[in-house]
Amino acid sequence: MTQWGKRADMVVHESDPFNAEPPPGALAGAVLTGLDSFYSRNHGPIPDLNPETWELVVDGLVDTPLNLSLGQLRDRFVEQTLTATMQCAGNLRAGFLKVRDIPGEDPWGPGATSTAEWTGVRLADVLSAAGLQPAAAHIAFEAPDVSQLATPPQAYGGSIPAAKAMAGETLLAWAMNGEPLTALHGAPLRVVVPGWIGARSIKWVQRITARREPSDNYFQATAYRLLPPQADPTHAGPGVGLSLGAIALNSAILSPDDQAHVQAGPLEIAGYALAGEDRGVARVDVSIDGGDRWVQAELVSQPSAWAWCQWRTTVLAPPGDVEIIARAWDTTAAMQPESAAQLWNPKGYVNNSWPRIHIHASARIAS
């Protein structure tokens, strides 16, 4: 184990704030991601909050503002458990770096995606108890972790549309995989917004505000926005670009490792696919000949509508250097775009192009 109880082979992009992902193989074949492998994305120091004194404030466009302790949340509302995948908006940014540099951004691979069983209460139930008013179109969240990325520095925050907040899948969670949240993952309480980028699942949430407009927090209004290729992100102010919300259809090859040396012949290939929002994964194709021929992978498991689908297939790897390509289709019949070059943007978000890895297959020696 290393920092924050993570496995020793985590790929650490930054130590302070702590940003790390597991190696791809650690995610292969696992429906739930262990706490030691779950990726971590942070924008400032990790708060250490006392659950005995912590309090959640619910205010804004509500009839009855609330101040709730963790115990009151547990006592007043029905406990819910949901399996959902969380994915960083910068997942697979490393693929963009092969197209063009992205200064100042972490080179996330496919491991900035993890799945957990979340336990807590429905955000909709809490908002209903507060008397959410019809004028409330957005629900904003505020946390205590102060980030130096904003000028001047400010606490992390963001918002989601009221319709998503009132959907039954959006939770205020105090546990993951049957264990109390750790400080790293948002204790004592965090928001879980299934099907949306991880940036909207605010950790250490301490205030929920019903508003007419989206949050004006830096991480909603300026960061986590898809900019056009020619834009300069250092001069892009609030409202520039497209605000990121629902996850785009994507997939990853988790095994074998990129640049692995294997034996020619039968080779198992495994990965995940994730459709985002409430779309399902309908099909995953794999090619080892540059896309001339494709085999359809077996979809192994998708534990809920809000979770990834693990997939696998076996191919006959020829001797020599082999490129393995995958592509996913969702239940709307949409397919991943082919090229990262077509998607490149100056913040490195939403790389959902076909995943590609390269291996070297050695000929088998006759006995």
Side-chain angles (χ1 to χ4, degrees):
M1 294 290 181
T2 56
Q3 188 177 10
W4 298 105
K6 296 298 181 181
R7 53 191 293 152
D9 58 355
M10 289 287 281
V11 180
V12 179
H13 298 296
E14 295 179 81
S15 294
D16 186 18
F18 184 69
N19 288 297
E21 63 182 301
L27 300 177
V31 174
L32 298 181
T33 309
L35 298 185
D36 65 336
S37 300
F38 206 100
Y39 85 93
S40 180
R41 175 67 174 111
N42 298 290
H43 302 82
I46 310 301
D48 185 12
L49 305 178
N50 184 349
E52 299 299 322
T53 58
W54 171 90
E55 193 173 61
L56 176 68
V57 176
V58 182
D59 61 9
L61 297 175
V62 296
D63 294 331
T64 308
L66 302 175
N67 290 70
L68 298 166
S69 69
L70 193 60
Q72 288 171 325
L73 273 172
R74 290 174 175 268
D75 292 340
R76 287 188 58 176
F77 303 100
V78 178
E79 183 175 291
Q80 306 290 332
T81 296
L82 176 71
T83 300
T85 297
M86 200 164 289
Q87 183 171 89
C88 177
N91 188 62
L92 292 168
R93 182 181 285 130
F96 280 148
L97 301 183
K98 300 174 183 177
V99 178
R100 186 173 157 193
D101 192 23
I102 303 176
E105 299 289 347
D106 292 334
W108 294 96
T113 304
S114 301
T115 299
E117 187 179 76
W118 306 96
T119 299
V121 297
R122 291 190 183 101
L123 174 58
D125 291 347
V126 175
L127 292 173
S128 295
L132 186 67
Q133 297 174 4
H138 298 269
I139 306 301
F141 309 109
E142 181 182 306
D145 53 320
V146 175
S147 175
Q148 300 297 316
L149 296 176
T151 304
Q154 66 175 263
Y156 191 88
S159 64
I160 58 175
K164 182 64 177 178
M166 294 299 288
E169 70 273 4
T170 303
L171 300 182
L172 298 175
W174 55 68
M176 57 190 297
N177 293 349
E179 300 289 338
L181 287 176
T182 62
L184 181 65
H185 290 293
L189 193 76
R190 70 171 300 160
V191 185
V192 176
V193 186
W196 281 46
I197 61 168
R200 306 304 179 221
S201 290
I202 310 296
K203 292 181 285 190
W204 315 292
V205 62
Q206 60 183 13
R207 182 179 295 271
I208 299 174
T209 302
R211 299 166 50 102
R212 288 183 173 83
E213 303 294 335
S215 169
D216 55 5
N217 185 277
Y218 170 82
F219 293 97
Q220 181 76 37
T222 302
Y224 292 106
R225 301 186 75 90
L226 186 68
L227 302 177
Q230 69 276 11
D232 179 355
T234 63
H235 292 89
V240 176
L242 306 175
S243 181
L244 298 178
I247 294 170
L249 169 67
N250 62 84
S251 65
I253 299 169
L254 301 175
S255 177
D257 291 333
D258 190 26
Q259 306 300 326
H261 287 258
V262 303
Q263 289 287 324
L267 175 68
E268 182 171 275
I269 303 169
Y272 69 73
L274 180 63
E277 195 47 294
D278 59 352
R279 304 182 307 276
V281 174
R283 195 174 98 200
V284 174
D285 299 334
V286 177
S287 175
I288 61 170
D289 61 5
D292 288 339
R293 292 170 296 180
W294 296 86
V295 296
Q296 193 167 325
E298 175 191 2
L299 304 183
V300 181
S301 62
Q302 184 170 5
S304 82
W306 307 103
W308 60 15
C309 179
Q310 295 275 333
W311 58 264
R312 67 186 175 207
T313 191
T314 299
V315 300
L316 290 176
D321 293 325
V322 179
E323 182 183 51
I324 302 173
I325 310 171
R327 63 186 185 188
W329 305 71
D330 71 18
T331 48
T332 70
M335 183 186 72
Q336 291 180 261
E338 179 177 354
S339 171
Q342 299 168 341
L343 302 172
W344 188 94
N345 60 89
K347 298 275 292 180
Y349 293 139
V350 200
N351 181 12
N352 69 327
S353 61
W354 297 356
R356 302 167 186 266
I357 67 167
H358 297 85
I359 62 170
H360 181 80
S362 301
R364 294 181 182 273
I365 301 175
S367 56

